[in-house]
Amino acid sequence: MQKKLFIIGNGFDIGNKLHTSFDYFSKVLARLSPDGGFIWDLYQTNKIFELDKDNKIDRTTGIWSDFENLLAKPNFESIDNIFINFDYGYRPKSDIPHYSESFKIINTALELFAQEAINQIPNLDPNEKYITKFGDNALFINFNYTSTLEDLYHINADNILHIHGALNHKPLIFGYPISDKEDDFSPEEYTKPRMIDYEEKRKGLENLKNYFESLYKEYDTKKLGNFISDMDILEIEMIGHAYKVDFAYFDYLHKLFPEAHWILNWFSDSDRENALKFKKKFGLNAELKRLK
């Protein structure tokens, strides 16, 4: 059966006025954890957010793909400094194992962030351009955790694949690509002898190491194949995706539907630049369109 496939990214939810920007997530995380600031030190905030004209961090520019990719590249100098208050006796060493586990608040924050966004949907109106665009003959691969398609646009849930999970389809898939784990992640850095001078710190570092190593996501192309393999996809349109991550899925789609025509929507100049690189990377039969 001939179908059109839409690939939905976070820009779609933001365009529908949901609070799903990375900045909102960072604020949810800060609400839940007074120690949340360490996370930004570890993950080099200056590489997530751009600078404004006054050379200050512009928190509206952060995107999920940059944060997820950086999860594979923590700042090891900051990791060493995390324990400085324990080293000098400002906090009891017995607190270290619990403290090092507190970074798992990221997972809790992610679910709360998604729930708060979903709670907005009843107060929103659908965008006419999408009502026109989304026909009955469409399938959707949704990278978002929200139910915007189902609840705002009344798309049949059977026509939607939440490739990274959703709040009502857990678990939520979040993290850095496994290729980064293999190529860039260096857990041995955690166990430098200079960093381990008492047992509690060793246990704390081990907790951090195990957690950071767990933050990689495996691509589930089998789930994607089960969703669309029997379909005849003639056109694939991407809306709200950053064109910087999840390449394994797009490589799979291109190989499965080599003759498909792609429409790569872009909003900002950086989106357009990334879309051009994306088109070249996969050799797509694609056109770029500015999303208004």
Side-chain angles (χ1 to χ4, degrees):
M1 180 182 296
Q2 292 185 349
K3 294 279 188 179
K4 177 169 180 175
L5 178 64
F6 288 94
I7 296 172
I8 303 296
N10 187 47
F12 173 76
D13 276 357
I14 292 174
N16 279 285
K17 301 182 180 180
L18 270 72
H19 295 166
T20 58
S21 69
F22 180 76
D23 184 36
Y24 275 104
F25 171 70
S26 69
K27 291 174 180 176
V28 170
L29 186 62
R31 292 202 323 258
L32 293 180
S33 174
D35 295 320
F38 282 117
I39 294 171
W40 312 129
D41 292 338
L42 284 176
Y43 290 121
Q44 309 162 67
T45 305
N46 62 310
K47 293 185 179 180
I48 301 173
F49 299 106
E50 297 175 7
L51 299 179
D52 62 18
K53 61 182 180 180
D54 297 319
N55 210 37
K56 296 180 180 179
I57 291 174
D58 180 0
R59 297 186 66 86
T60 66
T61 60
I63 59 174
W64 284 100
S65 59
D66 288 340
F67 178 59
E68 289 189 277
N69 284 336
L70 280 176
L71 288 174
K73 308 172 182 67
N75 183 330
F76 294 110
E77 183 177 345
S78 291
I79 290 174
D80 198 9
N81 291 334
I82 281 174
F83 297 96
I84 194 167
N85 285 333
F86 300 100
D87 293 341
Y88 289 97
Y90 299 121
R91 295 182 64 173
K93 292 181 174 61
S94 59
D95 284 353
I96 287 181
H98 172 73
Y99 173 67
S100 58
E101 288 280 331
S102 69
F103 285 88
K104 294 182 179 179
I105 202 70
I106 291 177
N107 303 73
T108 304
L110 194 64
E111 292 191 12
L112 178 58
F113 163 80
Q115 184 62 66
E116 290 184 355
I118 289 171
N119 290 346
Q120 291 181 265
I121 294 177
N123 300 316
L124 300 176
D125 295 317
N127 191 312
E128 287 293 333
K129 68 183 176 185
Y130 294 128
I131 293 175
T132 302
K133 188 183 289 288
F134 299 156
D136 295 332
N137 203 36
L139 296 174
F140 299 82
I141 298 173
N142 193 351
F143 283 86
N144 303 332
Y145 305 127
T146 58
S147 55
T148 312
L149 289 172
E150 297 94 325
D151 295 340
L152 190 60
Y153 289 94
H154 306 293
I155 304 295
N156 189 321
D158 291 338
N159 294 334
I160 304 169
L161 173 64
H162 285 274
I163 194 69
H164 284 167
L167 203 57
N168 59 344
H169 295 287
K170 296 179 184 178
L172 304 184
I173 308 301
F174 174 76
Y176 54 86
I178 194 168
S179 59
D180 282 351
K181 181 179 189 293
E182 295 168 345
D183 298 338
D184 300 314
F185 192 69
S186 303
E188 67 274 6
E189 291 283 343
Y190 291 101
T191 54
K192 286 182 177 179
R194 67 180 179 83
M195 297 174 66
I196 304 177
D197 48 7
Y198 49 87
E199 180 63 13
E200 292 87 351
K201 182 185 281 190
R202 186 194 68 77
K203 290 180 179 178
L205 288 167
E206 188 67 21
N207 285 342
L208 287 176
K209 171 188 169 184
N210 291 339
Y211 181 58
F212 293 143
E213 284 188 307
S214 75
L215 288 173
Y216 71 88
K217 58 184 179 185
E218 297 187 60
Y219 295 114
D220 193 349
T221 54
K222 182 178 179 180
K223 180 166 69 173
L224 176 58
N226 290 338
F227 180 66
I228 59 168
S229 60
D230 294 333
M231 301 297 175
D232 182 13
I233 304 295
L234 301 179
E235 189 168 76
I236 300 174
E237 182 165 355
M238 299 182 67
I239 302 173
H241 198 278
Y243 304 109
K244 296 175 70 175
V245 291
D246 303 309
F247 291 146
Y249 292 122
F250 305 123
D251 181 56
Y252 181 87
L253 287 172
H254 181 46
K255 290 176 179 176
L256 193 60
F257 307 112
E259 304 302 320
H261 174 68
W262 292 62
I263 299 174
L264 310 180
N265 289 289
W266 59 277
F267 179 75
S268 66
D269 289 340
S270 60
D271 288 340
R272 184 177 184 276
E273 181 180 343
N274 291 330
L276 286 169
K277 292 177 181 177
F278 182 88
K279 175 182 177 180
K280 182 178 180 181
K281 178 180 179 68
F282 295 106
L284 301 176
N285 168 26
E287 62 177 303
L288 274 66
K289 286 187 177 181
R290 184 170 188 174
L291 195 61
K292 297 180 181 179

